[in-house]
Amino acid sequence: MEKLKIVPVHIGIIMDGNGRWAEKRNLPRILGHKEGIEAVRRVVKLAVKYGIKYLSLFSFSTENWKRPKEEIEFLFSLMEENLRKEGENLNKNNVRVRFSGRKWQLPKNLYEIMDYVEKLTEKNTGLNLIFAINYGGRAEIIDAFKEIIKKGYKEEDIKEDLIKEFLYLPDIPEPDLIIRTSGEKRISNFLLWQCAYSEFYFSKVLWPDFNEDEFLKALIDYQKRKRKFGSVK
Ligand code: IPE
Ligand code: IPE
Ligand code: MG
């Protein structure tokens, strides 16, 4: 195995393909989401194992409200159940859990457990695990501008650093690597502001099948990238 010389500080993952995983097996889509949770468990362990400092998981987009009500409800109850089950365990493992998105529009039961786990793990210094739930990159920028206007900033104050300060989690560094599973090659409104200089890795594997091999492939590919940020090497 190739040695990993540089690991990304922050990895974002667009966890896509749960529905197709289920459809391939003639199962209802929701069972794909259920299986997707196992992949979440695996990838959290892998992030710890490979020394990733920040892992952002795109779990529900602002556009996913267009899905059938039953699927949405299933997704939210799955999130709630697993946060209840895993909160203490994540805490014991020094993981700091955070959430990004329009939390206030989520069902109360889910919102409450999110808030609980966030506070419970607040002081932890290990992996920073961010779940993007009811998250949209455009919504985030809109919400930032609303705050900026409320605070009375003027045209001349509008600079990159100011906008950054009003994003949902301003202290988190931008993702170095964004992985999308299931073969789709698009951003689907994930971290629009933050992905300006991210590297992208597209895996054909459906999210429930995502494993250490696939994760390592992405990390190895990342080694070869020459990041220039607009400058010359
Ligand atoms: C990703 O899987 C999970 C969410 C968007 C919540 P999908 O449900 O989008 O799976 P496909 O794309 O239909 O296969
Ligand atoms: C992106 O996947 C959102 C999440 C993974 C939560 P989608 O399946 O919703 O994206 P599109 O609709 O294929 O672009
Ligand atoms: Mg999808």
Side-chain angles (χ1 to χ4, degrees):
M1 197 188 79
E2 280 179 69
K3 265 257 177 64
L4 297 173
K5 288 192 220 87
I6 337 149
V7 288
V9 174
H10 182 179
I11 298 182
I13 306 185
I14 304 172
M15 310 184 286
D16 198 13
N18 292 351
R20 277 162 283 171
W21 184 92
E23 280 153 22
K24 260 178 43 183
R25 289 164 178 77
N26 277 317
L27 297 168
R29 291 178 55 83
I30 55 169
L31 291 187
H33 296 313
K34 201 161 172 232
E35 195 62 28
I37 295 285
E38 299 311 315
V40 172
R41 258 187 257 283
R42 280 198 294 279
V43 87
V44 169
K45 288 198 190 117
L46 289 168
V48 172
K49 173 170 173 185
Y50 289 97
I52 310 302
K53 208 54 210 148
Y54 299 87
L55 178 67
S56 293
L57 300 178
F58 200 8
S59 310
F60 190 88
S61 78
T62 47
E63 288 69 41
N64 288 148
W65 291 102
K66 295 175 193 163
R67 296 187 179 205
K69 191 166 163 273
E70 300 71 44
E71 180 170 344
I72 297 172
E73 280 170 0
F74 185 86
L75 278 167
F76 290 157
S77 64
L78 202 61
M79 290 171 194
E80 188 194 327
E81 178 196 327
N82 281 282
L83 281 170
R84 263 184 226 292
K85 251 193 343 218
E86 296 296 340
E88 304 292 339
N89 198 22
L90 288 164
N91 188 36
K92 266 190 233 130
N93 285 291
N94 198 23
V95 174
R96 180 172 181 190
V97 183
R98 299 171 80 178
F99 299 93
S100 175
R102 291 183 168 165
K103 304 179 206 182
W104 57 92
Q105 294 172 346
L106 293 169
K108 191 163 164 278
N109 286 352
L110 174 59
Y111 181 90
E112 280 173 358
I113 185 74
M114 284 163 61
D115 200 46
Y116 172 79
V117 174
E118 205 159 37
K119 290 202 174 96
L120 178 74
T121 62
E122 203 169 35
K123 301 240 153 53
N124 291 345
T125 55
L127 171 70
N128 285 274
L129 176 60
I130 301 109
F131 291 100
I133 305 180
N134 195 18
Y135 174 87
R138 288 180 178 173
E140 181 176 34
I141 295 168
I142 291 168
D143 292 344
F145 271 92
K146 285 187 178 169
E147 288 301 314
I148 287 170
I149 289 166
K150 266 196 225 155
K151 292 246 153 62
Y153 284 101
K154 297 280 173 300
E155 183 182 344
E156 58 273 24
D157 302 323
I158 304 297
K159 304 205 168 69
E160 280 192 22
D161 283 345
L162 182 83
I163 296 171
K164 246 195 234 171
E165 210 182 291
F166 284 91
L167 298 176
Y168 296 138
L169 301 171
D171 57 310
I172 290 183
E174 292 171 6
D176 301 292
L177 175 65
I178 294 181
I179 299 172
R180 182 170 187 145
T181 58
S182 89
E184 308 298 341
K185 298 190 177 73
R186 54 177 173 263
I187 189 84
S188 299
N189 207 8
F190 188 44
L191 301 176
L192 291 187
W193 176 276
Q194 299 88 336
C195 77
Y197 274 99
S198 300
E199 298 294 330
F200 286 85
Y201 183 85
F202 298 103
S203 162
K204 287 214 173 71
V205 164
L206 302 173
W207 177 249
D209 293 327
F210 194 78
N211 58 18
E212 182 158 14
D213 268 6
E214 281 305 305
F215 189 72
L216 261 178
K217 271 193 221 161
L219 290 188
I220 289 165
D221 201 73
Y222 180 79
Q223 311 295 299
K224 301 181 203 135
R225 310 287 178 93
K226 286 193 177 57
R227 304 186 74 191
K228 300 197 291 184
F229 302 95
S231 179
V232 285
K233 248 307 192 233

